[in-house]
């Protein structure tokens, strides 16, 4: 499990890859934490880019919820983007599709969070 | 061993309304369009073969009561929810006047798990031997209190059966009339206890009213060991995972997805979704069942795990 991060005009895009399950969810949570802490100053949005995530278990989904709770407490917001079909299906089965704002692409997610971030993304 | 489900709903009993029934009769009539169903036999065959369970049947509404039939002369039953009333009628019919010996195992003492007891007819019959097992210190008090005025007109002391209350120790296996029984502490308000039952080379886990967070690795390992290689796991899957980890966290119940994950890790053969959310209609429960089977497919790494959804009247032979 790797977590690649990018930033567009202060909005963080985090992209986990591979499988997120009971074996590596704690490591993922630890890897996520500094990005969430950084996003609190100032209050910024976080996009979870799931385009390279192949599978997520209940433990992985719990990490997403904890991240969303922390972001909300900081006045920020976590949104989901670019899910693969299997992960999208798991979101639907778990009803996480009702908890998170989900976007087809990272650009769509950025557009929902910040015009500056969208412009930075478009500039490449 | 045979497992009979007399009550499968969580928290409070529910019943179909006349509107529910009328709607499903209408759906059945539409589905039968163009058929010649001019005898009851043909109609039954059509209903059986072609209508989904959410139209042709119902998951039912009694609160928890599950019987384990080991084929001996003794009855074993988990919890005394409102399903205890039809279970009692079953015992009375089967005994045909002969005294019954009944072993009850209580997951906990919340209302939905004891509410059927005042309507459990064998408790009124002299000669019936009732042994009520549980891990809660106030096991007997809960049964006695429920029959006190103004809640019920017949006091516990007026019941005709002979009673014994047996306090069990979590983690300690005992043998009860040939059935090996191991209780396990579970996360629930006021505590609940799961049971592992073993007889004749078969094993059944009854794990209801239990919040499995899978956060703590040691705790998860303990439950995997408790479930290990079971033939059947009756599992509290009241909430979706999203509810269980957010708005309903710490409400003491689990999700279908965690049920699949635990059972797969423990190499269980058959998972039965149980303690259905009272707000769910039959279509919602059927949808959860379908999705749970799909999730099992997505996560399968080994032998398939059979997944069923419990309904009042379901019987599973092991």
């Amino acid at each position: 499990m790797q977590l690649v991060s990018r930033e567009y005009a202060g909005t963080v895009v985090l992209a986990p890859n591979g499988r997120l399950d009971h074996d590596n969810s704690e490591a993922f949570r630890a890897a996520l934490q500094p990005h969430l802490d950084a996003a609190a100053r100032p209050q910024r949005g976080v996009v979870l880019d799931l385009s390279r995530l192949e599978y997520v278990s209940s433990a992985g989904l719990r990490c997403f919820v904890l991240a969303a709770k922390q972001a909300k407490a900081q006045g920020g917001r976590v949104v989901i983007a670019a899910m693969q079909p299997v992960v999208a299906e798991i979101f639907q089965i778990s009803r996480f599709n009702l908890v998170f704002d989900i976007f087809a692409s990272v650009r769509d997610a950025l557009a929902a969070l910040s015009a500056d971030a969208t412009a930075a993304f478009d500039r490449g | 061993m045979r497992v009979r489900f007399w009550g499968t709903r969580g928290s409070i009993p529910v019943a179909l309304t006349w509107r529910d029934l009328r709607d499903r009769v209408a759906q059945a009539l539409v589905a039968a369009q163009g058929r010649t169903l001019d005898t009851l036999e043909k109609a039954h065959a059509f209903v059986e073969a072609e209508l989904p369970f959410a139209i042709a049947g119902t998951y039912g509404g009694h609160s928890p009561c599950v019987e384990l039939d080991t084929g001996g002369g003794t009855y074993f039953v988990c919890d005394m929810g409102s399903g205890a009333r039809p279970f009692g009628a079953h015992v009375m019919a089967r005994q045909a006047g002969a005294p019954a010996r009944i072993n009850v195992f209580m997951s906990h003492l919340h209302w939905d798990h004891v509410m059927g007891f005042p309507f459990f007819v064998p408790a009124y019959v002299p000669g019936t031997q009732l042994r009520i097992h549980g891990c809660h210190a106030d096991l007997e008090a809960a049964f006695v209190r429920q029959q006190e005025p103004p809640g019920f007109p017949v006091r516990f002391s007026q019941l005709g059966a002979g009673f014994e209350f047996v306090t069990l120790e979590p983690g300690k296996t005992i043998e009860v009339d040939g059935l090996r029984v191991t209780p396990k502490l579970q996360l629930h308000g006021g505590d609940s206890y799961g049971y592992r039952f073993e007889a004749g080379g078969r094993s059944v886990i009854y794990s209801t009213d239990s919040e499995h967070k899978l956060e703590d690795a040691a705790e998860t390992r303990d439950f995997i060991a408790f479930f290990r290689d079971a033939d059947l796991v009756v599992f509290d899957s009241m909430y979706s995972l999203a509810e269980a980890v957010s708005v309903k966290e710490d409400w003491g119940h689990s999700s279908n997805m965690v049920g699949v994950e635990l059972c797969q890790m423990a190499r269980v053969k058959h998972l039965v979704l149980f303690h259905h959310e009272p707000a769910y209609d039959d279509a919602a429960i059927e949808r959860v069942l379908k999705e749970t089977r799909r999730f099992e497919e997505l996560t399968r790494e080994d032998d398939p795990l059979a997944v069923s959804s419990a309904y009042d009247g379901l019987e599973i032979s092991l």
Side-chain angles (χ1 to χ4, degrees):
Chain A
M1 160 66 59
Q2 279 187 316
L3 185 65
V4 177
S5 71
R6 293 166 282 163
E7 194 171 317
Y8 299 97
T11 298
V12 184
V13 177
L14 301 171
N17 69 1
R19 292 173 63 87
L20 177 52
D21 56 24
H22 293 282
D23 294 334
N24 60 13
S25 63
E26 274 310 304
F28 173 72
R29 199 171 152 185
L32 206 55
Q33 196 57 50
H35 299 288
L36 293 171
D37 292 340
R41 305 182 302 274
Q43 298 157 351
R44 292 182 297 189
V46 174
V47 176
L48 288 173
D49 169 8
L50 304 189
S51 58
R52 292 191 293 163
L53 187 69
E54 294 161 10
Y55 170 77
V56 61
S57 75
S58 67
L61 290 169
R62 182 182 285 272
C63 294
F64 295 166
V65 163
L66 294 173
K69 278 182 182 172
Q70 181 179 338
K72 192 177 177 187
Q74 295 168 174
R77 186 176 163 204
V78 172
V79 302
I80 304 288
M83 287 191 286
Q84 292 192 27
V86 165
V87 173
E89 206 173 350
I90 293 170
F91 263 66
Q92 197 263 323
I93 291 170
S94 64
R95 305 287 184 265
F96 269 60
N97 59 329
L98 305 177
V99 174
F100 283 94
D101 290 323
I102 296 171
F103 299 92
S105 68
V106 170
R107 190 190 184 283
D108 289 349
L110 289 171
L113 293 175
S114 156
D116 290 345
T118 314
F121 181 86
D122 288 342
R123 284 195 297 273
Chain B
M1 197 182 320
R2 197 166 176 82
V3 181
R4 290 191 189 92
F5 294 81
W6 296 98
T8 58
R9 187 70 62 161
S11 301
I12 190 165
V14 300
L16 287 178
T17 65
W18 68 269
R19 265 200 186 85
D20 299 329
L21 197 55
R22 187 184 61 178
D23 285 349
R24 63 182 60 196
V25 168
Q27 288 180 63
L29 289 171
V30 170
Q33 205 171 22
R35 313 283 182 128
T36 306
L37 302 178
D38 53 359
T39 66
L40 272 179
E41 288 72 19
K42 286 182 191 171
H44 272 297
F46 166 74
V47 167
E48 190 70 33
E50 301 200 32
L51 292 183
F53 187 75
I55 296 176
T58 181
Y59 286 92
H62 279 302
S63 68
C65 184
V66 177
E67 179 193 0
L68 277 72
D69 185 345
T70 60
T74 306
Y75 294 90
F76 302 97
V77 64
C78 296
D79 284 334
M80 286 271 115
S82 70
R85 190 192 59 75
F87 170 58
H90 163 77
V91 171
M92 294 301 291
R94 199 167 185 178
Q95 291 302 114
R101 181 176 170 85
I102 303 161
N103 289 293
V104 180
F105 297 92
M106 296 300 300
S107 65
H108 65 311
L109 305 171
H110 280 166
W111 185 41
D112 52 323
H113 294 254
V114 297
M115 68 190 332
F117 183 75
F119 301 91
F120 183 57
V121 172
Y124 293 78
V125 178
T128 301
Q129 286 179 277
L130 258 163
R131 287 197 297 178
I132 302 179
H133 305 74
C135 299
H136 291 81
D138 50 354
L139 179 66
E140 181 170 359
F143 278 83
V144 172
R145 187 173 54 230
Q146 182 172 227
Q147 311 246 168
E148 292 292 303
F152 200 73
V154 183
R155 287 178 184 272
F156 191 89
S157 59
Q158 293 174 283
L159 298 174
F163 287 93
E164 185 184 352
F165 287 88
V166 184
T167 306
L168 304 180
E169 192 181 322
K172 187 176 174 188
T173 302
I174 61 162
E175 188 158 323
V176 180
D177 292 337
L179 182 67
R180 280 169 59 83
V181 183
T182 310
K184 177 164 178 35
L185 176 65
Q186 304 179 134
L187 180 61
H188 193 70
D191 293 340
S192 74
Y193 296 87
Y195 290 94
R196 183 180 179 100
F197 299 103
E198 296 164 298
R202 296 286 181 265
S203 50
V204 174
I205 309 294
Y206 182 71
S207 177
T208 192
D209 295 67
S210 176
E211 186 165 351
H212 296 274
K213 293 187 178 223
L214 306 191
E215 268 182 332
D216 181 295
E219 189 182 287
T220 302
R221 272 198 303 275
D222 278 357
F223 270 102
I224 292 169
F226 187 61
F227 284 21
R228 176 68 66 198
D229 295 326
D231 294 285
L232 189 78
V233 170
V234 180
F235 189 84
D236 169 3
S237 56
M238 189 169 181
Y239 301 144
S240 67
L241 180 68
E243 289 172 319
V245 301
S246 59
V247 291
K248 295 180 180 174
E249 186 169 23
D250 299 323
W251 286 23
H253 298 284
S254 286
S255 68
N256 55 338
M257 285 176 60
V258 168
V260 168
E261 290 174 343
L262 269 176
C263 286
Q264 285 178 331
M265 288 188 278
R267 300 175 65 91
V268 167
K269 295 182 182 65
H270 192 164
L271 164 67
V272 179
L273 307 177
F274 185 73
H275 203 276
H276 304 306
E277 160 65 52
Y280 285 3
D281 62 13
D282 288 316
I285 296 174
E286 196 151 272
R287 187 168 63 245
V288 169
L289 173 61
K290 191 176 166 193
E291 290 171 340
T292 311
R293 286 175 170 160
R294 174 61 181 151
F295 182 66
E296 190 279 329
E297 279 177 7
L298 290 173
T299 54
R300 188 186 301 158
E301 290 181 348
D302 214 317
D303 293 332
L305 166 70
V307 181
S308 303
S309 195
Y311 56 85
D312 296 8
L314 172 65
E315 294 193 19
I316 297 175
S317 291
L318 303 175

